[in-house]
Amino acid sequence: MHFLGHVVRFIVAALVLMLVGFIVPQFSVGGFWSALFLALVIAALGWIVEGIFGTRVTPFGRGIVGFIASAIVIWVAQFIVGGVTVTWLGAILAALVIGIVDLFIPISTPFEAGRSERHRD
């Protein structure tokens, strides 16, 4: 994925997080810049979790463990990003809403992108 693709991906993720902040009562994002920074932090924490535990523990694993890992990553990210407040229930609901949005706006994972590039060679 090229640089512009990553920028668009994070802008879309920030907009989704703002939408989630509007829908989920116990999930609050201060504004666009907080949402954009939150998207970057969630991506970085997700990358770390994926590196430690493998792809089965990420939201892209599509299992209950991935769902719980996603909620934990969202909850932990609030301590890194200013202007974001999330309760445990808010993190679980946010992970659910983000998962539903991901069904309609799929974004390929780095692992899927790497696999498709290897198959083209």
Side-chain angles (χ1 to χ4, degrees), residues 20-111:
V20 169
F22 182 73
I23 294 172
V24 176
Q26 297 178 1
F27 182 90
S28 168
V29 179
F32 177 75
W33 294 109
S34 290
L36 186 63
F37 189 52
L38 182 63
L40 290 170
V41 169
I42 288 172
L45 290 174
W47 180 75
I48 291 168
V49 167
E50 216 171 280
I52 294 171
F53 297 108
T55 58
R56 293 180 308 168
V57 188
T58 63
F60 306 111
R62 303 285 185 219
I64 187 70
V65 174
F67 173 74
I68 292 170
S70 178
I72 291 171
V73 164
I74 291 169
W75 185 78
V76 168
Q78 75 172 325
F79 300 113
I80 300 169
V81 181
V84 176
T85 55
V86 183
T87 64
W88 278 105
L89 180 61
I92 291 169
L93 293 174
L96 179 65
V97 171
I98 290 169
I100 291 169
V101 169
D102 189 44
L103 289 174
F104 297 104
I105 307 172
I107 298 175
S108 66
T109 69
F111 291 102

